[in-house]
């Protein structure tokens, strides 16, 4: 019953946004998908911690954005406009007093946009080594004073 109430509330919020002036800024390419995108984002964000729509925080929005929307099957032109749509929607929620952290969450969506675009393009993140590579003749990191090759190197083979 609570999910039904939440979904109804989200539907009202999305409708209010799309009907109002803020929704008029949505492009013609994005307009047919906008309602479903916004509902999916909000539902995924709410499901992250089981919070209500008005209690969404940065971690919830991050989940909704990167997990809920990153792999949605939409035309590329539409996917590229999703971050801007979310920011407009969140700012509208803040102006209406529906989401207290709207500005913070909107700024976070902006900061995550490059990562979102990488996920959509299938690009994998570049991994970086946390520390310098240990050479065979370097001192062992265990602190024994021996060379790595005479101390802990062989422990990896066991």
């Amino acid at each position: 019953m609570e999910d039904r109430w939440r979904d109804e509330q989200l539907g009202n919020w999305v409708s209010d946004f799309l009907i109002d002036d803020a929704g008029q800024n949505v492009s013609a390419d994005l307009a047919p998908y906008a309602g479903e995108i916004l509902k999916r984002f909000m539902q995924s964000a709410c499901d992250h911690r089981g919070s209500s729509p008005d209690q969404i925080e940065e971690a919830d929005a991050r989940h909704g954005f990167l997990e809920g929307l990153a792999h949605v099957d939409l035309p590329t032109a539409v996917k590229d406009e999703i971050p801007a749509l979310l920011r407009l929607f969140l700012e509208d929620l803040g102006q209406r007093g529906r989401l207290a952290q709207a500005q913070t969450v909107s700024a976070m969506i902006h900061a995550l946009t490059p990562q979102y675009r990488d996920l959509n393009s299938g690009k994998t993140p570049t991994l970086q080594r946390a520390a310098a590579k240990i050479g065979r003749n370097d001192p062992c990191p265990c602190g024994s004073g021996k060379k790595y090759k005479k101390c802990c190197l062989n422990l990896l083979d066991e």
Side-chain angles (χ1 to χ4, degrees):
M1 187 67 160
E2 188 174 308
D3 285 342
R4 190 172 137 197
W5 174 84
R6 182 193 73 183
D7 290 345
E8 186 175 319
Q9 181 183 21
L10 293 176
N12 290 338
W13 287 8
V14 169
S15 295
D16 289 347
F17 168 74
L18 292 174
I19 291 170
D20 202 8
D21 292 338
Q24 302 307 318
N25 294 327
V26 176
S27 73
D29 291 338
L30 183 60
Y33 306 101
E36 195 57 41
I37 289 168
L38 294 173
K39 284 181 195 173
R40 185 172 183 155
F41 165 73
M42 290 296 287
Q43 287 169 341
S44 182
C46 290
D47 290 345
H48 180 245
R49 288 183 310 121
S51 59
S52 64
D54 59 341
Q55 299 297 318
I56 290 175
E57 296 177 357
E58 288 182 51
D60 305 323
R62 177 187 181 90
H63 177 81
F65 185 40
L66 297 180
E67 302 294 325
L69 296 177
H71 303 291
V72 177
D73 188 25
L74 294 170
T76 304
V78 172
K79 285 183 179 183
D80 290 343
E81 294 185 51
I82 288 176
L85 172 68
L86 293 180
R87 293 190 69 205
L88 283 172
F89 180 61
L90 290 166
E91 290 166 9
D92 183 65
L93 292 179
Q95 290 172 354
R96 293 175 190 264
R98 293 177 170 166
L99 183 61
Q101 296 190 16
Q103 284 185 319
T104 306
V105 173
S106 178
M108 193 232 12
I109 294 292
H110 180 68
L112 289 174
T113 298
Q115 186 177 353
Y116 166 80
R117 290 202 172 112
D118 287 347
L119 284 171
N120 275 325
S121 68
K123 186 176 177 182
T124 57
T126 304
L127 300 177
Q128 294 181 345
R129 188 180 308 271
K133 187 173 180 179
I134 302 170
R136 293 175 49 86
N137 290 317
D138 290 339
C140 190
C142 75
S144 67
K146 297 179 183 179
K147 288 186 178 184
Y148 179 57
K149 68 182 178 185
K150 295 284 187 177
C151 189
C152 292
L153 176 65
N154 294 330
L155 294 177
L156 297 175
D157 294 337
E158 294 175 1

